[in-house]
Amino acid sequence: MFKRSRRFITGSTRPVTAALLAGLLLAGCSSREERAMEAAATAEQAFQAGDLVTARRFALEAVSARDDLPQIWGLLGRIEVSAGDYSAAFNAYSRMNELDRTNQEALQLVMEISYLAGRYRDADRYADEMLSLNPANLRAQLLKAGVAFQNKQYDGALAGAERVLTTDPANEDARVLKARALDGKDEPEAAIAYLEGELKLRGNGRPSLEELRGLYTRVGDTAGLDRTFQRLLVVAGNDTNVIMSYAADLYRRGNDAAANRQAENLWANNREDGAVLQRIVDMWLRTGRDPVRPGWIAETAAAGTQAERHALARYTIERGRPAEALAMLEPIRGPDQISYANVESQVLIAAAEAALGRTADARARIERIHDFDPTNPRALTVRAELLAAAGELEPALIDAQILVRDNPTAWKPRVLLADIYARRRDVRLADSKYREGMRAIPDSADILDRYAAFLLANDRRREALRLAEGFTRDNPGDPRGWRARATLCRAAGDSACFADAQQAIREIVGEAGNG
């Protein structure tokens, strides 16, 4: 709950047709009411059959015919929850709540969704309404404690979590909240001891283990962190997200050998799944170095699937080895005529050609791809880079703006956009775009590196150092941030600052090294 998880938003799926019909019959049967009755019954039948599109259409038709019946709004709300449209569900349940202030189903949902949306004052108010109707409602009690936590009222959050645990000792959301409140009070060791005790008593629960993982990271206990990941892997059944998190943490600590074992096993189990393979490549690139086992890429590409070759080609291009990428793409490149079957290969070939300085070939190829699919993000990136390098800054700017709009959590489009403004000698806008990038992706060491370089190039060394200091404060476990800070400290001749940064790096990497 307190990571804004949506797992707790579950509306009742019990049949409501009889209640709807009874309510409508009591009201009398005008033609408008008959339309609402028929539409609601059809919506309920479709909902029970799992046809959410039809269910939504007829539920909307029902509320259009009669918008004063809370049962119909409740039906629409349940449909929207099942469809995952929580904004529409909130609107439906809000209307239901307006029509029937005593309906606990409506209150429950508007309360939970308000919390998810970060509207904590509203969530607290709805929780109070719920408790006035049902003082024993544990979800409302827990949500109020969660609001206290969000407002940094850690004593109140702790007391609220403990009240819930008194009634329901196995409540894992309350357990996690209690640990977070202890950590908020700057008692991480107490939070760890509490969770370890609860896990020993009640067995491994994934939310508690996830919280414990964060706590061990915060206190720098690598042995505890490794134990927690091993338990998570068992509980989560080798879930891809857990394996990725474990491998990323091992890379962060410099334990490339152990990280590679996790990454290679995950890769071998997902050879056809391009999305998983690209996530692994993203993880490698985020390290800011080349952590992959020597020889593994060549071995894997030799008998690689198309998805594998695409992912590995992207990695080798980003790592400055475009000739290697072209070689592994050659068997799957297909004809130069662009089609859905070969567009990804063609984009990567164009990127490799550009990196090799074969600008004319790359430009011709990327324009053919752009004509075929003007929204392909990788093609737009290559095209914008080529245009910018050729001094065609206006069309490059348009492409970069589209990329940022459509990919707000990707760092490269934001850096590209800032760089184009810098090429236009618009330092103010370039600086603004870098700042926007850091706000949007505050843990991106890639943006940090490039923004710091921009500041240094504009003789703003102190600002660059403050930037790195802020990054390490917000991301204390990222060695790339500390390395950037160490470099800037040394350039400023600040030996104490440099020593502090080097010590932080040693503490993160520990004794793991690359063994």
Side-chain angles (χ1 to χ4, degrees), residues 7 90 249 288 344 406 510:
R7 67 184 176 86
F90 179 84
D249 188 76
E344 189 66 19
D406 295 345

Side-chain angles (χ1 to χ4, degrees), residues 88-381:
F90 179 84
N91 292 335
Y93 277 112
S94 293
R95 177 59 176 154
M96 184 182 187
N97 180 243
E98 289 172 6
L99 294 167
D100 181 3
R101 293 289 184 183
T102 66
N103 189 287
Q104 293 187 35
E105 177 190 0
L107 265 177
Q108 182 85 19
L109 266 292
V110 293
M111 176 182 76
E112 304 264 20
I113 295 174
S114 293
Y115 187 92
L116 276 178
R119 295 163 54 177
Y120 301 124
R121 183 177 298 178
D122 289 341
D124 197 53
R125 175 170 56 83
Y126 287 127
D128 283 336
E129 289 183 30
M130 175 67 82
L131 291 171
S132 71
L133 297 172
N134 181 6
N137 187 292
L138 292 182
R139 291 302 298 174
Q141 293 178 31
L142 185 59
L143 187 138
K144 283 186 70 66
V147 171
F149 175 82
Q150 296 295 342
N151 291 330
K152 303 189 186 312
Q153 298 168 355
Y154 300 123
D155 288 328
L158 182 60
E162 288 178 336
R163 278 195 297 273
V164 173
L165 288 165
T166 299
T167 304
D168 181 10
N171 189 305
E172 191 150 26
D173 280 338
R175 188 187 311 165
V176 168
L177 178 58
K178 179 176 177 177
R180 287 192 174 187
L182 287 168
D183 187 38
K185 287 163 60 69
D186 203 23
E187 300 175 28
E189 298 290 357
I192 289 171
Y194 167 69
L195 282 179
E196 287 285 19
E198 287 294 301
L199 289 165
K200 184 176 181 179
L201 178 66
R202 306 183 191 284
N204 291 331
R206 183 165 177 176
S208 293
L209 286 170
E210 292 280 11
E211 188 65 25
L212 191 59
R213 178 186 65 150
L215 288 165
Y216 277 128
T217 299
R218 171 165 152 70
V219 301
D221 185 340
T222 57
L225 190 56
D226 285 331
R227 289 195 307 272
T228 303
F229 267 119
Q230 292 302 324
R231 294 148 78 185
L232 266 171
L233 288 169
V234 172
V235 169
N238 289 323
D239 178 87
T240 295
N241 292 327
V242 174
I243 296 171
M244 289 284 295
S245 294
Y246 188 27
D249 188 76
L250 290 166
Y251 283 127
R252 179 183 65 85
R253 291 186 269 145
N255 194 342
D256 290 357
N260 283 334
R261 285 193 291 273
Q262 295 291 332
E264 289 173 21
N265 287 337
L266 183 61
W267 187 288
N269 291 326
N270 294 275
R271 297 183 64 215
E272 300 283 356
D273 191 334
V276 172
L277 302 184
Q278 294 291 348
R279 285 180 64 192
I280 296 173
V281 166
D282 287 337
M283 175 175 63
W284 289 335
L285 292 171
R286 277 195 299 271
T287 67
R289 51 194 171 80
D290 190 357
V292 184
R293 177 167 58 86
W296 182 84
I297 287 180
E299 295 166 10
T300 304
T305 64
Q306 178 169 286
E308 287 180 297
R309 288 174 183 267
H310 285 163
L312 293 174
R314 175 175 160 244
Y315 179 71
T316 51
I317 291 168
E318 296 282 357
R319 293 300 308 162
R321 308 197 304 264
E324 191 177 336
L326 281 178
M328 68 178 70
L329 289 168
E330 186 59 35
I332 61 169
R333 67 181 293 164
D336 281 347
Q337 181 177 355
I338 310 301
S339 67
Y340 287 111
N342 73 354
V343 65
E344 189 66 19
S345 297
Q346 292 291 323
V347 171
L348 290 164
I349 290 168
E353 289 172 337
L356 287 166
R358 292 160 49 182
T359 306
D361 291 339
R363 182 74 177 266
R365 192 180 306 278
I366 211 68
E367 291 299 342
R368 291 199 300 273
I369 296 168
H370 188 261
D371 289 342
F372 176 78
D373 180 5
T375 64
N376 185 299
R378 288 190 189 140
L380 269 179
T381 301

Side-chain angles (χ1 to χ4, degrees), residues 42-56:
T42 304
E44 174 64 33
Q45 290 166 1
F47 181 44
Q48 295 299 323
D51 183 355
L52 298 181
V53 173
T54 299
R56 177 189 283 124

Side-chain angles (χ1 to χ4, degrees), residues 217 220 222 249-255 472 475-483 501-513:
T217 299
T222 57
D249 188 76
L250 290 166
Y251 283 127
R252 179 183 65 85
R253 291 186 269 145
N255 194 342
T472 53
N475 303 278
D478 189 338
R480 285 185 66 186
W482 286 105
R483 291 189 185 103
Q502 290 292 89
Q503 179 60 28
I505 294 168
R506 284 192 293 272
E507 290 175 0
I508 293 167
V509 174
E511 301 300 321

